Amino acid sequence: VDVSKAEFKVVDSCITSEDGSFDFHPNLIYKGFYNIDVGKTGAQFATLILEAGDTIHFSGNAKNLGYTWKAEGSKEVKRFADLNDFIMGLETKRQPYKEKLDSLQRAFQVEVSLLPKNDSVKVDSLDKIFSAIYESTQAQLQVVETQGAGFVRKFIDEDSSSFANIPALRLLEPF
């Protein structure tokens, strides 16, 4: 499925009260992925798994909804919220290693550019130094990613029929 070409259809809308709270009752026919979108740009949204009859309690910061939402009220909403929390935590753990790897690449390129042309001895020396640090950092990142893959596999095994497994399976692609 090419998600970039997915068509979205509005199933309900509402205006928030002064304190930012809202209440709406969409007439859902199908269990599926639904976005709660705030604002007019479509850039601030949270995705939930909903089905007919669900009563959900939802909260988040409208300025950063995609990263701050919390929801409860059904098994699918809870599982998807747990998965979202895991993804945020995993990315927080991965980020320092990714930044270090990017910095090492940039630093190596700068150092090589400052060397006299055709000085292969110094380039090889720099390459050995940077490669050792780079490989060590990659190994540390791999540990975090392996732990993440373990969580995802366990998550999927806990309830093999859950819709939350669809995005969970996509997480296994980089592992």
Side-chain angles (χ1 to χ4, degrees):
V1 176
D2 185 355
V3 178
S4 66
K5 295 180 182 177
E7 291 186 32
F8 295 97
K9 184 170 104 176
V10 175
V11 294
D12 201 353
S13 63
C14 65
I15 297 175
T16 62
S17 64
E18 285 186 31
D19 68 356
S21 63
F22 60 91
D23 187 25
F24 61 92
H25 306 276
N27 185 17
L28 302 179
I29 299 170
Y30 302 105
K31 178 179 182 177
F33 294 88
Y34 293 88
N35 288 345
I36 294 180
D37 189 356
V38 296
K40 297 178 181 178
T41 65
Q44 290 299 332
F45 68 92
T47 302
L48 302 175
I49 300 170
L50 303 173
E51 60 186 311
D54 281 350
T55 298
I56 306 301
H57 300 281
F58 176 86
S59 64
N61 180 335
K63 293 179 182 175
N64 196 11
L65 193 60
Y67 295 97
T68 63
W69 70 270
K70 301 288 180 203
E72 56 185 34
S74 76
K75 181 181 84 167
E76 286 286 6
V77 164
K78 168 117 177 60
R79 281 183 57 78
F80 196 56
D82 289 348
L83 180 63
N84 190 59
D85 288 345
F86 165 75
I87 292 167
M88 295 303 173
L90 180 64
E91 196 52 38
T92 298
K93 289 177 186 175
R94 292 171 71 194
Q95 196 60 35
Y97 299 112
K98 291 162 108 181
E99 288 173 2
K100 185 175 180 180
L101 291 170
D102 288 345
S103 293
L104 285 167
Q105 284 180 326
R106 285 192 306 271
F108 178 75
Q109 291 170 351
V110 167
E111 290 295 326
V112 168
S113 72
L114 296 174
L115 292 175
K117 292 190 181 204
N118 300 323
D119 193 343
S120 61
V121 172
K122 287 185 180 177
V123 170
D124 288 345
S125 177
L126 279 174
D127 184 50
K128 285 179 186 173
I129 294 167
F130 277 88
S131 290
I133 299 167
Y134 192 88
E135 288 171 14
S136 171
T137 304
Q138 275 190 317
Q140 292 167 337
L141 176 59
Q142 185 60 47
V143 168
V144 170
E145 291 180 346
T146 300
Q147 291 169 345
F151 172 89
V152 171
R153 287 184 183 97
K154 181 180 175 195
F155 180 87
I156 292 168
D157 288 344
E158 286 173 354
D159 185 350
S160 61
S161 66
S162 173
F163 270 41
N165 292 343
I166 296 168
L169 285 168
R170 294 188 67 161
L171 291 174
L172 291 177
E173 290 175 4
F175 302 122

